Amino acid sequence: MLLPDLASTIKAVARKEAMAALALASLTRDMTALFEQAGIPMLVIKGIPLALQTTGSLTARGRGDLDLLVAPKRLPEALELIQSSGFSLTGGASRVGTHTRSGQYSRFVSIEITLMRDKGHRQMIDLHWHPSLARKILPPFDDLWSRRDHLSFSESHVPTLSLTDAFVHACCHAAADRWMCLRNLVDVHRLSGRLDPNHLLAVGRKRIVRKSCAVTHSLAPISNSMVFLGEHSAARHGRALSLSREAQLLPRKSMGQGAWTLKNRIQDLLRLLNLSHHPVHISAMLMRQFVTPETLVDVQTGQTLPAIEILQRRIAKMRQRIMDNDATLSHMSDH
C-alpha cells in the first residue's frame, strides 16, 4: 500500500482539529454571553458560525481564532470588556482603543487588534471594527447588525453575518490573502450554493466577488456563479487566477518569492489598493504604508511618541529590511 501510515496520521490530525474547534465553540459561547450582558452589539464572524452556515457542523472547518466585530464607536468599551476577562494585547500597548487623535488614526488605517489569554491553552481573539481589509465593500456595522442571523448551539444563540453578507465577506477575505488559503475558497463555494440566485446576482456586481468566484470556479465549478461570471471568465479574470496559483505555492502570509524587497512591497501595495477602489480604502492603505498604529506608541508605556521619533523608527526599520535583504542575497551568491 502506498503511504500506509497516511490514514492514521490524517485521523490524528482530524481529531486535534475537532478538539480545537470545540474549544473555540466554548470561547465563542462565553464571549457572546459577556457582550450580551454588557449590552454591546457584537457579531461573531468566520469561525464556528461560518462552520455551521457552510457545513452544519461545529467542527467541520477545524481550528481558528475567535473573530468578533463591533461598531467602531463601541471599540473602546469592547476592548476594555475583553481585557477585563483576562485577555491582553499581543502587540503590547496600543492607542487604538482611545478617543485621542492617535486612536482615531489607528482605527482608520487598521481593521483589528489581537488579544490573547492563557488558560492552560492559548486562546486568541481578533477584535474587528471593520469587517474586512477590503474597505467599503460590506455595509456599516449597524446595517450588518440589523440583518444578522442567529445560530444556535450548546444552548447559545450567537449573532453572526447574514448568509449573503457572510458570502461577500468570504470573498473579501479570500481576495485579501490572494486566494492563498484553500479553506477560504471552500467557504466561498459552499456559501454560493446556499444563496438565492437573485441575491447571488446582486452581490455578483461587486468586482471582488466576481474575482473570488472566478478563482473558486477554476478549482471547483460553481454553477450559480456563471450567472454573473459569463462564459469567458478565465480570460476576464486571468490576473486573479495567475496570482492565486502563485500564492498557493508560497508559505502562508508570504508577500512573494524570496526575501523582503522593495519591489515585493510595492507590488503588494498595488494589490491591496486594487481590493477596493473606494477613496476611504485607498486612503487607509496608503497612510498605513507610512505610519502604522504600532509605530505611534511606546509598546511598554503606552505613551504616544513624538512625530520625529515615529519617523526615525520607520526609517530605521526600512533600512534594516534593506540591509537584511542585501545580506541574504550576498549569502546566496556565495553559495
Side-chain angles (χ1 to χ4, degrees):
M1 176 185 290
L2 185 64
L3 300 175
D5 297 328
L6 184 58
S8 59
T9 300
I10 292 176
K11 187 178 295 185
V13 171
R15 178 175 174 78
K16 288 182 179 180
E17 290 293 316
M19 295 302 293
L22 290 175
L24 177 60
S26 177
L27 179 60
T28 301
R29 182 187 62 236
D30 293 345
M31 285 296 113
T32 298
L34 185 67
F35 272 81
E36 186 175 344
Q37 291 168 6
I40 302 175
M42 178 273 293
L43 296 171
V44 182
I45 57 178
K46 299 188 292 185
I48 298 301
L50 185 55
L52 291 172
Q53 286 178 321
T54 54
T55 71
S57 168
L58 290 175
T59 61
R61 290 186 77 250
R63 72 180 69 214
D65 300 333
L66 177 59
D67 291 86
L68 308 179
L69 175 65
V70 298
K73 63 185 178 183
R74 305 300 296 268
L75 175 65
E77 54 190 309
L79 188 57
E80 183 179 351
L81 180 65
I82 296 174
Q83 289 176 305
S84 72
S85 63
F87 282 84
S88 58
L89 297 173
T90 59
S94 171
R95 304 296 287 169
V96 75
T98 68
H99 294 289
T100 61
R101 288 185 178 180
S102 58
Q104 293 173 344
Y105 174 85
S106 297
R107 291 192 292 277
F108 178 70
V109 301
S110 55
I111 67 168
E112 63 181 321
I113 193 165
T114 302
L115 302 98
M116 182 183 73
R117 181 174 71 179
D118 190 348
K119 296 191 70 175
H121 61 282
R122 188 177 65 174
Q123 296 177 318
M124 305 290 292
I125 292 179
D126 290 331
L127 179 61
H128 296 250
W129 50 95
H130 299 299
S132 170
L133 187 64
R135 303 278 289 277
K136 297 298 181 178
I137 302 296
L138 284 157
F141 178 85
D142 288 345
D143 291 343
L144 295 174
W145 176 260
S146 67
R147 59 198 195 205
R148 67 191 181 280
D149 281 350
H150 280 94
L151 299 178
S152 301
F153 66 91
S154 302
E155 300 181 354
S156 297
H157 301 281
V158 177
T160 190
L161 298 172
S162 70
L163 202 61
T164 301
D165 290 331
F167 171 71
V168 175
H169 182 262
C171 290
C172 292
H173 187 54
D177 279 344
R178 291 175 296 163
W179 306 283
M180 173 183 285
C181 180
L182 296 180
R183 183 171 73 166
N184 295 340
L185 299 179
V186 171
D187 291 334
V188 172
H189 187 276
R190 286 172 168 166
L191 287 168
S192 68
R194 294 199 58 198
L195 285 185
D196 178 274
N198 291 328
H199 290 170
L200 191 63
L201 182 60
V203 297
R205 297 189 180 98
K206 300 178 186 292
R207 187 169 52 89
I208 199 168
V209 170
R210 294 197 302 273
K211 286 185 176 183
S212 289
C213 284
V215 173
T216 302
H217 185 79
S218 69
L219 299 174
I222 308 175
S223 57
N224 288 346
S225 71
M226 299 314 292
V227 173
F228 56 82
L229 286 180
E231 296 180 3
H232 306 291
S233 175
R236 189 175 297 126
H237 301 98
R239 177 56 185 157
L241 295 172
S242 175
L243 186 63
S244 69
R245 286 191 289 267
E246 293 173 5
Q248 289 161 17
L249 297 176
L250 295 175
R252 177 86 172 136
K253 298 298 183 183
S254 171
M255 284 196 304
Q257 296 284 359
W260 185 97
T261 65
L262 185 58
K263 179 182 177 181
N264 280 348
R265 189 61 190 170
I266 291 174
Q267 288 179 338
D268 195 59
L269 172 59
L270 293 176
R271 178 189 66 82
L272 292 174
L273 292 174
N274 197 40
L275 290 175
S276 170
H277 293 167
H278 195 284
V280 168
H281 173 82
I282 293 174
S283 299
M285 292 298 102
L286 288 175
M287 293 168 69
R288 185 180 175 85
Q289 302 307 305
F290 296 100
V291 181
T292 65
E294 296 78 16
T295 57
L296 289 175
V297 61
D298 185 315
V299 296
Q300 301 298 324
T301 65
Q303 296 298 311
T304 303
L305 297 172
I308 186 63
E309 188 170 349
I310 293 173
L311 180 61
Q312 289 171 343
R313 289 189 177 199
R314 291 296 288 169
I315 292 174
K317 186 174 182 180
M318 178 68 74
R319 183 183 294 119
Q320 186 61 50
R321 278 180 162 172
I322 293 174
M323 290 174 60
D324 290 344
N325 183 56
D326 290 343
T328 300
L329 293 176
S330 177
H331 179 75
M332 292 173 61
S333 64
D334 291 341
H335 292 78

